[in-house]
């Protein structure tokens, strides 16, 4: 049973999960698990099935990347009786005006009352914190708006778009094809080994907080609290600091 262990981990007081519970659950998950690449740098091998992710994230107190966090949530929601499937996408890197490695993002599609929603708990600190409908309506995240738009590109049939206050920009493109464990393993291999991967070079961790976000590199920690930004030298080794981010 992964659901009860997950709910205990994130401090969720309910015993069951319904569609209406998802905003609260997604916030508590975001405040619990950092988006971090310690396993990538160490090239750790672990199963990306329900038991493997339960052990790695819940029992060993780890954060992770999209292929850790979203499949973990997928297994929890599936056990709760919700209609979910994993999707594969390609992130757009705005600063470089190019796409990241093909198919190296994974998210969740949920069906509720014949409507489709995108759920993503593994897109760094760019998290909607609620289901995003496939209606092209904007929803409010912590400091960013999000929407799903049906638009064919070289990387998929749909886009997750973000609006940070300057208009819509592409977060990633995706298809509606269902992803299995074998695809997750291949995705992780690309993140571990591909020279173009942004996650296999140096330590990186980030996590949303109720009042902002924290971003950790190998030598600095940057804290955003409301409108205040503070950047300070990392007081302890990266590994130790990231461990402190996990309840």
């Amino acid at each position: 049973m992964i659901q009860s262990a997950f709910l205990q981990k994130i401090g969720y007081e309910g015993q069951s999960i319904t569609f209406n519970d998802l905003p609260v659950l997604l916030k508590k998950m975001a405040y619990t698990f950092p988006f971090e690449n310690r396993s990538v740098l160490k090239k750790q091998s672990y199963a990306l099935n329900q038991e493997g992710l339960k052990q790695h994230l819940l029992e060993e107190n780890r954060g992770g990347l999209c292929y850790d966090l979203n499949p973990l949530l997928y297994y929890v929601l599936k056990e709760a009786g919700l209609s979910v499937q994993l999707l594969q996408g390609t992130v757009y890197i705005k600063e470089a005006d190019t796409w990241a490695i093909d198919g190296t993002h994974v998210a969740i599609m949920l069906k509720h009352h014949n409507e489709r929603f995108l759920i993503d708990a593994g897109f760094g600190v760019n998290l909607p914190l609620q289901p995003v409908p496939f209606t092209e309506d904007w929803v409010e995240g912590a400091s960013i708006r999000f929407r799903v738009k049906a638009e064919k590109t070289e990387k998929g049939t749909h886009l997750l778009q973000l609006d940070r206050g300057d208009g819509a920009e592409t977060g990633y493109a995706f298809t509606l094809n269902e992803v299995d464990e074998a695809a997750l393993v291949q995705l992780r291999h690309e993140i571990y080994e591909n020279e173009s991967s942004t996650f296999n070079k140096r330590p990186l961790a980030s996590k949303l907080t109720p009042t902002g976000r924290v971003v950790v590199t190998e030598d600095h920690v940057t804290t955003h609290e409301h409108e205040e930004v503070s950047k300070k030298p990392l007081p302890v080794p990266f590994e130790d600091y990231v461990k402190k981010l996990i309840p």
Side-chain angles (χ1 to χ4, degrees):
M1 299 289 287
I2 195 171
Q3 179 180 329
S4 60
F6 174 83
L7 295 181
Q8 182 178 358
K9 177 69 176 179
I10 67 173
Y12 184 85
E13 295 179 356
Q15 298 299 314
S16 61
I17 303 170
T18 68
F19 178 81
N20 291 334
D21 297 325
L22 291 177
V24 171
L25 182 140
L26 288 168
K27 286 180 182 178
K28 286 185 173 293
M29 182 177 182
Y31 301 156
T32 300
F33 297 100
F35 183 82
E36 53 109 342
N37 67 343
R38 287 181 293 161
S39 296
V40 178
L41 298 178
K42 296 177 181 179
K43 296 187 177 180
Q44 286 184 293
S45 178
Y46 50 93
L48 293 174
N49 56 23
Q50 177 172 315
E51 286 305 311
L53 291 169
K54 180 181 178 183
Q55 179 178 343
H56 187 68
L57 293 167
L58 302 183
E59 298 173 9
E60 297 178 4
N61 288 327
R62 307 292 295 233
L65 300 184
C66 66
Y67 55 79
D68 299 304
L69 300 170
N70 280 321
L72 173 71
L73 179 59
Y74 160 80
Y75 286 119
V76 170
L77 298 181
K78 185 177 181 181
E79 185 176 302
L82 299 178
S83 177
V84 288
Q85 72 176 65
L86 291 171
L87 304 174
Q88 197 164 8
T90 301
V91 173
Y92 182 72
I93 306 174
K94 179 183 178 182
E95 297 77 11
D97 190 24
T98 189
W99 296 97
I101 305 168
D102 279 358
T104 51
H105 187 67
V106 61
I108 300 168
M109 183 172 72
L110 179 147
K111 293 181 180 178
H112 178 68
H113 291 167
N114 295 319
E115 294 186 31
R116 296 178 297 182
F117 298 83
L118 185 74
I119 295 178
D120 198 334
F123 196 32
V125 293
N126 302 309
L127 302 180
L129 301 177
Q130 61 178 301
V132 183
F134 276 58
T135 57
E136 301 194 8
D137 293 323
W138 291 98
V139 302
E140 298 288 338
S143 60
I144 307 171
R145 298 196 304 158
F146 299 83
R147 74 174 178 182
V148 170
K149 184 178 182 182
E151 182 175 319
K152 289 187 177 181
T153 67
E154 59 185 309
K155 304 299 182 183
T157 56
H158 292 73
L159 299 174
L160 176 72
Q161 294 186 320
L162 296 73
D163 182 2
R164 306 175 192 272
D166 298 317
E169 61 183 74
T170 297
Y172 54 84
F174 63 96
T175 73
L176 303 185
N177 299 328
E178 189 166 8
V179 173
D180 60 14
E181 184 185 347
L184 295 178
V185 171
Q186 179 59 36
L187 185 160
R188 180 176 64 182
H189 176 77
E190 290 293 323
I191 295 295
Y192 278 22
E193 304 295 343
N194 195 309
E195 291 184 1
S196 299
S197 171
T198 58
F199 298 111
N200 61 17
K201 309 290 192 300
R202 58 189 64 86
L204 176 66
S206 60
K207 191 175 82 164
L208 288 180
T209 69
T211 55
R213 61 188 185 274
V214 178
V215 179
V216 188
T217 64
E218 56 190 330
D219 51 14
H220 283 86
V221 54
T222 303
T223 304
H224 299 252
E225 292 286 345
H226 301 294
E227 301 299 323
E228 300 293 325
V229 180
S230 171
K231 182 177 181 179
K232 298 179 180 179
L234 204 59
V236 295
F238 176 86
E239 177 92 12
D240 295 336
Y241 196 92
V242 174
K243 287 179 179 179
K244 293 181 179 180
L245 291 177
I246 306 173

